Amino acid sequence: MEIAIISGKGGTGKSSISAAFATLSEKVVLADCDVDATNLYILFNPDVEGEEIYIGSQKAVIDYSKCINCGLCIEYCKFDAIYYSDQKINISSIHCDGCKLCSRICPNKAITMIDNDKSRMYYGSFRNGKMVYGKLAPGEENSGKLVNIVRDKAKKLAKENNINTIIIDGPPGIGCPVISTITGVDYVIIVTEPTLSGLKDLQRTLELTTKFNLNTVVIINKFDLNIKITEKIENFCEKLDIKIIGKLAFDPQVVAAMINCKSIIEWQPASDLSSQIKHIYNNLIYGQ
Amino acid sequence: MKLAIASGKGGTGKTLVATNLFYALQQLNYQVVLVDCDAEAPNDMVFFKGEKIKYFYVHQEIPVINEKKCKFCSKCHEYCNYNAIFILPDLKVIKVIEDLCHGCGACDVACDFNAISTKPVPIGSITKYAIENNTFIIEASMNTGVFSPVPIINAAIKEAKNEKIVILDSPPGTSCPFINTVAEADFVVLVTEPTPFGLSDLKQSIDTLKIIDKPYGVVINRSGIGDTEIYNYLKQENIKLLLEIPFDKMIAFYYSNGELISQLEYQWADKFVSMFNFIIDQYGNSNN
Ligand code: SF4
Ligand code: SF4
Ligand code: SF4
Ligand code: SF4
């Protein structure tokens, strides 16, 4: 069973809940698909057993000994990445999308493409099973391809090690990486907070999961910070027939656990919050 | 002066800082524009009332293949660096996979038989709101499932290009959307929280800003929770701590209701203005 935990925006406690779930199971594969801000390896300090280079895109570079300053490449680049200054042609690596068109049309073959090869996928063991995570290098396109690679590896590790449950910590937003994270999973859990912006993000995220026809449930985290908005979220979900599988109270111990590199389950196994999360998790895994 | 407000992950208080700074400057009759560049989850307008004065779609040009003219030579498929053209020459099947297309125009250039034209497909929208005191909010909003918010973000920033003081509420992460936003700024305010996750994300953001050589300072939100590691790091690296916002259930409550602390507690407006003045003093250039 694959469970993806996402939220319209970061900071709702999504990663802390993923970490709690991961430490509730005897054996899991934990996949950190928030490749633009990987965090869970900090808590779990996995023994890395392998890494793979991920090449998601390319960038154009100019060989000035060949460039004849004809300016043709500027005209062709749809991303406004090429410009003329200091009496020469420049390519902004920030704006270059790697489409290779300039390199193809340059009459003097002055432009070559180089791979962006700084991003990585890592995998290894941690105390509750196996872990896979991706690290996107700064400025690379977060297209969801790295997410797919992380998920494929997680599935492979699950099979090889006879593990039934894969927990996926997803990225924020509603774009391509999120779609890659949730496509084909058994459950999507959206973690939200009782704020007006949280409600708005939840609406956008639900729009997406409905579009893909996914089994979606909601957890309201820190629900006691604003009871009125919590009620609003409850009403909203009821109307859409979306199940709220838990309301978790604000607990400063969540941060204390993080500082000690533990999940809340490991840090305070007997606390109210921990038993509530345990309950949610068991219902999800065994309750159907 | 263009100021980007950013954070490695979402939910650290980036929107809190951007909206309160905007409000505080607006109250002093500064002509300020806030651009909400978090196109996957734009939320700044939750905190303001304003009149919609401009609205337009951002389009991407997607190729359309005329199957009557197509000779199934596969050249467009070879030119496409994103694998967005699917072709089975023997079966005379050719298709553009719109979700993968970046609109680079390479296929159009490739085709020797004039079989490719383009059609505009909306990928998002820009809305401009008039707020009090002759100030504006420009909101970038991406449609669900679009591969990249970058063209929408760029269009939103362009809308504000003639303004004197611009605040850019940047998207989370350190990939393309983040870099594209902060590349336009004169100074970057990084908002983080004093937790291991916060510190890890902050370091990643700073590494990215170093690569593109942008000046920056740090705001610590929810100080009091977590530990002191982040303060040690700032001291060690000689990074300016611009402002601390304590963890306070009241501040969280105001925020959740879409209210501004600068409006409710005046000393907060002063703090944001002092931060702004400090940045202008140190990093503003004379022609702005
Ligand atoms: S097309 Fe080639 S030769 Fe012409 S300006 Fe560009 S890089 Fe130089
Ligand atoms: S590779 Fe494409 S995006 Fe990059 S500079 Fe060349 S034409 Fe522009
Ligand atoms: S416009 Fe570019 S990305 Fe789109 S199909 Fe053509 S070559 Fe591929
Ligand atoms: S390049 Fe033109 S003719 Fe050749 S397969 Fe593509 S669309 Fe058809």
Side-chain angles (χ1 to χ4, degrees):
Chain A
M1 168 140 95
E2 273 186 297
I3 303 172
I5 297 144
I6 59 169
S7 67
K9 210 163 206 154
T12 57
K14 166 181 70 65
S15 298
S16 297
I17 291 175
S18 307
F21 283 173
T23 47
L24 274 169
S25 352
E26 294 263 295
K27 275 237 167 295
V28 283
V29 177
L30 179 60
D32 192 342
C33 289
D34 191 358
V35 295
D36 203 4
T38 23
N39 272 331
L40 286 173
Y41 74 94
I42 301 170
L43 289 194
F44 294 128
N45 195 22
D47 286 327
V48 175
E49 285 152 6
E51 69 174 81
E52 276 166 31
I53 296 174
Y54 163 71
I55 296 166
S57 55
Q58 297 186 313
K59 288 236 164 350
V61 282
I62 293 197
D63 178 350
Y64 286 108
S65 67
K66 289 188 183 160
C67 174
I68 50 166
N69 268 344
C70 69
L72 204 61
C73 51
I74 300 181
E75 271 172 54
Y76 276 92
C77 179
K78 282 263 162 57
F79 301 91
D80 296 329
I82 313 182
Y83 57 96
Y84 196 76
S85 84
D86 300 333
Q87 292 174 2
K88 62 180 195 319
I89 300 284
N90 296 277
I91 300 182
S92 153
S93 61
I94 293 173
H95 296 100
C96 172
D97 198 68
C99 72
K100 205 176 171 177
L101 186 53
C102 53
S103 159
R104 295 185 198 274
I105 56 88
C106 172
N108 243 22
K109 301 245 170 300
I111 301 180
T112 47
M113 301 302 292
I114 50 166
D115 287 343
N116 287 326
D117 57 1
K118 301 278 183 301
S119 298
R120 292 287 181 278
M121 186 265 281
Y122 300 94
Y123 57 91
S125 299
F126 80 113
R127 46 194 185 260
N128 286 72
K130 295 283 172 189
M131 191 169 167
V132 192
Y133 55 106
K135 261 192 193 171
L136 200 71
E140 304 231 330
E141 190 197 317
N142 194 0
S143 66
K145 276 186 268 180
L146 182 53
V147 169
N148 285 334
I149 291 173
V150 170
R151 275 188 68 190
D152 286 346
K153 187 74 195 176
K155 276 186 218 162
K156 218 171 139 209
L157 287 174
K159 214 171 171 190
E160 284 167 9
N161 296 282
N162 259 325
I163 298 174
N164 293 324
T165 315
I166 301 176
I167 309 256
I168 304 172
D169 187 20
I174 53 162
C176 201
V178 181
I179 295 174
S180 300
T181 301
I182 60 178
T183 312
V185 299
D186 300 287
Y187 266 108
V188 178
I189 302 179
I190 306 178
V191 180
T192 185
E193 299 185 310
T195 65
L196 285 180
S197 13
L199 178 58
K200 221 181 128 200
D201 294 333
L202 177 66
Q203 288 166 352
R204 288 167 73 95
T205 315
L206 279 173
E207 230 173 81
L208 188 73
T209 57
T210 322
K211 195 166 150 186
F212 286 83
N213 223 338
L214 291 156
N215 212 341
T216 310
V217 292
V218 168
I219 291 178
I220 308 179
N221 196 20
K222 306 174 203 165
F223 82 93
D224 51 340
L225 282 183
N226 194 324
I227 300 288
K228 271 217 177 97
I229 297 180
T230 292
E231 278 167 15
K232 261 193 196 162
I233 295 175
E234 287 173 312
N235 290 335
F236 174 75
C237 287
E238 202 184 310
K239 261 190 218 135
L240 291 181
D241 210 15
I242 299 285
K243 200 167 157 200
I244 294 174
I245 56 165
K247 288 196 294 182
L248 304 175
F250 171 76
D251 185 345
Q253 289 303 319
V254 173
V255 173
M258 194 201 290
I259 286 162
N260 288 282
C261 290
K262 290 197 158 65
S263 80
I264 186 72
I265 302 291
E266 295 170 310
W267 178 243
Q268 284 196 331
S271 71
D272 281 354
L273 184 62
S274 290
S275 35
Q276 223 183 331
I277 294 177
K278 207 178 282 175
H279 186 73
I280 295 172
Y281 186 71
N282 287 340
N283 269 346
L284 206 61
I285 300 278
Y286 309 110
Q288 6 152 11
Chain B
M1 182 74 180
K2 278 203 183 72
L3 213 58
I5 319 289
S7 70
K9 59 172 186 155
T12 56
K14 173 176 69 64
T15 299
L16 177 91
V17 173
T19 51
N20 277 286
L21 177 62
F22 174 69
Y23 176 82
L25 295 177
Q26 172 193 76
Q27 293 307 304
L28 294 177
N29 287 316
Y30 281 60
Q31 300 246 315
V32 54
V33 174
L34 171 61
V35 186
D36 195 344
C37 299
D38 192 355
E40 289 186 57
N43 280 330
D44 290 351
M45 271 310 286
V46 167
F47 301 86
F48 296 93
K49 286 197 179 67
E51 189 194 341
K52 216 186 243 196
I53 53 167
K54 196 170 176 186
Y55 180 85
F56 60 92
Y57 290 105
V58 180
H59 293 94
Q60 187 187 324
E61 291 294 326
I62 300 268
V64 184
I65 296 169
N66 182 338
E67 288 180 31
K68 285 200 189 94
K69 287 188 181 169
C70 176
K71 301 276 188 278
F72 301 94
C73 70
S74 291
K75 194 173 168 195
C76 54
H77 168 78
E78 279 150 34
Y79 263 54
C80 179
N81 223 18
Y82 308 97
N83 267 321
I85 293 180
F86 175 80
I87 184 164
L88 296 169
D90 298 342
L91 299 175
K92 296 206 180 323
V93 170
I94 185 162
K95 275 214 156 52
V96 177
I97 307 164
E98 295 193 1
D99 286 348
L100 294 179
C101 173
H102 288 213
C104 71
C107 51
D108 194 7
V109 174
C111 186
D112 299 318
F113 303 96
N114 212 1
I116 299 184
S117 56
T118 60
K119 63 169 181 196
V121 171
I123 52 170
S125 59
I126 307 292
T127 318
K128 185 172 181 180
Y129 298 91
I131 319 291
E132 269 175 80
N133 290 0
N134 209 12
T135 62
F136 302 93
I137 291 180
I138 296 165
E139 181 183 89
S141 178
M142 182 178 94
N143 294 353
T144 44
V146 169
F147 81 91
S148 167
V150 169
I152 308 154
I153 293 170
N154 287 344
I157 296 175
K158 213 165 159 192
E159 263 311 291
K161 73 169 184 291
N162 295 323
E163 308 290 342
K164 277 215 171 80
I165 308 171
V166 180
I167 302 169
L168 307 171
D169 186 355
S170 6
T174 51
S175 59
C176 290
F178 166 81
I179 294 228
N180 262 275
T181 307
V182 296
E184 300 296 324
D186 302 301
F187 185 87
V188 184
V189 176
L190 291 168
V191 185
T192 187
E193 40 178 47
T195 64
F197 287 178
L199 180 58
S200 141
D201 292 330
L202 177 69
K203 283 181 181 165
Q204 208 180 328
S205 310
I206 287 175
D207 286 347
T208 310
L209 293 179
K210 279 183 184 157
I211 295 173
I212 59 168
D213 209 11
K214 282 284 163 195
Y216 55 88
V218 169
V219 170
I220 295 184
N221 187 26
R222 305 195 188 106
S223 64
I225 61 161
D227 57 6
T228 54
E229 278 299 305
I230 213 154
Y231 298 91
N232 300 339
Y233 170 75
L234 295 184
K235 216 177 265 161
Q236 241 169 50
E237 299 286 313
N238 212 0
I239 297 165
K240 178 73 190 168
L241 175 58
L242 298 164
L243 182 70
E244 277 187 87
I245 304 169
F247 175 74
D248 175 342
K249 276 198 170 177
M250 264 340 266
I251 295 181
F253 182 72
Y254 290 151
Y255 182 84
S256 69
N257 280 327
E259 291 168 324
L260 297 160
I261 42 167
S262 297
Q263 188 171 12
L264 297 161
E265 293 177 26
Y266 207 74
Q267 82 267 21
W268 276 108
D270 287 343
K271 285 187 192 180
F272 283 106
V273 170
S274 317
M275 176 178 90
F276 180 76
N277 287 337
F278 170 82
I279 296 169
I280 292 284
D281 239 35
Q282 304 282 315
Y283 304 94
N285 51 35
S286 46
N287 54 25
N288 271 346

